[in-house]
Every structure is written in C-alpha cells, then in structure tokens.
Amino acid sequence: IKRTERFLNSWIKRMDLIVVHCNESKEYLINKYNYNEEQICLVPHGKYDTNEINQNKLTPLKNKYGIHNEIIYMYFGKIDDYKNIPLLIEAFEKLNLKDAKLLICGSFATGISNDVRFWIENHKYDNNVILDSRFIPEEEISTLLKIADVLVLPYDRTSMQNSGAAILAISNGVPFIIPEFGYINDIKEFPFVHTYSYQDDNEHLKNLSYEVLKFYSNFDRNILDEISKEEKNFAKTNLDWNEIGKKIIIRYKKLFN
C-alpha cells in the first residue's frame, strides 16, 4: 500500500491538469496530495443518449413482469458485491408494501463473489420482487426505465465517487434513491435525488428502508411527472457533452498560453 501511495503521489504531481467529476474528488486531490487547485478541472459526467420509448415493447415488458398499476422500484445495472442487492431485497420484503414491486434488472458482474451470487439466484422471492438477471441490450434500456417510478441504488458509499446508473436515471427522467457520496452530494438538493447516509450495515438497512417507505408514502404520479420533466431539463442544461467539452478545451488551452 505504501508503495502504491508513493507511486500515486509521484504520478499525480507530474500531471499538468486533472479532470474530475465531483467536488469530493477535487477536495481529495487538494487535501491528500496537496495538488494545486488551479490545475483541477471540475466538470460533471455527461448525460447518456436516450432511445425513443418503444411502445410496442413497453406493454410486453409490463406483462412479463406482471405490472399493472403498482409503484415500481427498480435496481438497474451490473449485479456486484458492492451494489448490496441482498440488502435491498431484505429491506423491500420486510416493508411488505401493498401495490408495489421491486425489479432487479441487470447481469452478474464477472467479479461477484460466489456466495452473493448464490444468495441472489437461490433466494425464495416474494411475489412483489422480480429478478431479471439477463444482459439488458442498449436499445431496450430507455423502454425498461420507463417502467420504473424510482431507481434504488444502495451502493457501498466508499466504493465510488460517481454512478453511471444515477446519470442514466437523470438522462431518462427517473428519480433515484442512493447513498450520499461524491457527485451525489453535489446534486442532492434536487427533488429527483433521494439520499441517505449510513455507517454500518444495520444503519444502511434502516435508512434505506426509510427512504423506500418515504417515497411510497409520498407517491403522487402527477408530481412525479413534473419532477421527471425537471430532471430531464437538468440533464439537458447541466450534463450536455458539448458544453462540458468546451469547458475542458478552455482549460487545455490555458496550459499552452
């Protein structure tokens, strides 16, 4: 570990410019490596392209999952140890919410531990929890997310500083429940971001359950539609790749002046 730290310290100090996607990354470079703030370019990760909703596939998908008028919670993404899928399933099944379903959608990561994969594949699921562990093709993602009323992403909060699934949710106008970390802290005041914190597994289960229940208790489809519009506008205004590229180009040009 010490050798790795020495290497990183030497490598980082050689950089003329480092691009980061959140304030937490910026502060880490400054405080951990005494890196010059003027040499840090802070820009968000850009939005994802969204595919047109295929209405012909939407109804068969709902039928496949047995969806009628329930509130739909969805996990979307690779299934891996640090994504805490068993904890999410435990939280949802204990709440036993009427007229609500949890969809777990995504394939298993190659590095997932055998015991976590075994638990997920062999768990006796309640009728309101559905596992779809296939690879989701890109052209199906937007249609699949259209089913969701909210994404639930209960990651280990120390495992990352950004989340592709969260950016994907923003791009498609789907609110999400997620722990506080990295880029999420930069946007947690927006109504489409439902955050919580925790210090251990017990607190994680408790606080995750609280946010799931709060979304259920406050559910209003008309309000949700308005929040979805605001979320898509946020993506268009703040996560546009052309604007992000312009900011990075300006910083590059300063290096050569």
Side-chain angles (χ1 to χ4, degrees):
I1 295 176
K2 289 183 179 180
R3 291 180 63 184
T4 302
E5 282 294 327
R6 286 198 299 268
F7 169 76
L8 284 174
N9 188 54
S10 173
W11 180 73
I12 287 172
K13 289 185 180 300
R14 292 168 184 243
M15 298 297 104
D16 296 307
L17 182 71
I18 297 180
V19 178
V20 298
H21 289 319
C22 65
N23 277 293
E24 185 176 301
S25 297
K26 177 181 176 180
E27 294 302 317
Y28 182 80
L29 286 172
I30 294 170
N31 297 326
K32 175 73 174 180
Y33 296 103
N34 198 28
Y35 194 74
N36 186 352
E37 182 175 356
E38 297 299 317
Q39 293 175 251
I40 300 174
C41 177
L42 172 59
V43 292
H45 188 291
K47 66 184 180 70
Y48 289 98
D49 291 333
T50 56
N51 296 313
E52 185 176 347
I53 305 301
N54 189 329
Q55 296 295 335
N56 293 327
K57 289 187 177 180
L58 191 59
T59 299
L61 267 178
K62 286 184 176 181
N63 291 338
K64 173 183 177 180
Y65 298 131
I67 294 172
H68 302 287
N69 295 312
E70 300 93 343
I71 299 173
I72 303 301
Y73 296 80
M74 180 185 291
Y75 168 83
F76 177 83
K78 282 286 186 181
I79 300 175
D80 209 340
D81 292 7
Y82 70 93
K83 305 290 185 71
N84 295 310
I85 304 305
L87 183 125
L88 170 58
I89 294 168
E90 179 183 355
F92 196 82
E93 290 184 340
K94 283 184 176 180
L95 287 170
N96 193 28
L97 303 175
K98 182 181 179 182
D99 296 326
K101 287 182 182 289
L102 170 64
L103 273 59
I104 309 293
C105 299
S107 58
F108 289 101
T110 54
I112 190 172
S113 61
N114 291 332
D115 56 340
V116 172
R117 178 165 184 161
F118 182 86
W119 189 99
I120 293 171
E121 290 184 321
N122 293 276
H123 180 68
K124 294 182 180 180
Y125 291 95
D126 291 348
N127 291 332
N128 62 344
V129 180
I130 299 165
L131 173 66
D132 185 357
S133 59
R134 65 191 172 92
F135 172 77
I136 310 296
E138 184 177 346
E139 62 273 13
E140 190 179 315
I141 291 175
S142 290
T143 302
L144 180 64
L145 293 181
K146 181 68 176 177
I147 294 174
D149 292 305
V150 62
L151 288 194
V152 191
L153 307 168
Y155 304 146
D156 284 349
R157 60 184 181 82
T158 58
S159 64
M160 63 184 74
Q161 294 188 326
N162 213 328
S163 164
I167 301 295
L168 189 63
I170 296 171
S171 305
N172 285 274
V174 184
F176 51 96
I177 298 170
I178 195 168
E180 295 174 354
F181 62 84
Y183 177 65
I184 304 304
N185 284 320
D186 294 345
I187 59 171
K188 65 181 181 180
E189 301 304 321
F190 288 92
F192 49 84
V193 186
H194 304 268
T195 65
Y196 62 96
S197 60
Y198 66 90
Q199 297 300 320
D200 54 40
D201 288 345
N202 289 332
E203 192 175 25
H204 194 173
L205 178 63
K206 175 184 174 182
N207 294 346
L208 169 61
S209 299
Y210 175 82
E211 289 300 324
V212 169
L213 180 59
K214 185 168 74 170
F215 184 88
Y216 178 86
S217 301
N218 296 333
F219 185 81
D220 184 308
R221 200 165 295 282
N222 292 326
I223 294 176
L224 201 61
D225 287 343
E226 292 302 313
I227 291 175
S228 178
K229 292 176 183 176
E230 180 179 346
E231 190 171 11
K232 289 178 181 177
N233 186 61
F234 174 89
K236 182 179 179 180
T237 304
N238 296 279
L239 305 182
D240 179 75
W241 280 108
N242 289 327
E243 294 303 316
I244 292 170
K246 288 176 184 177
K247 292 178 181 178
I248 296 175
I249 289 171
I250 289 172
R251 296 302 302 273
Y252 279 158
K253 287 182 176 179
K254 286 184 177 180
L255 293 175
F256 301 101
N257 291 336

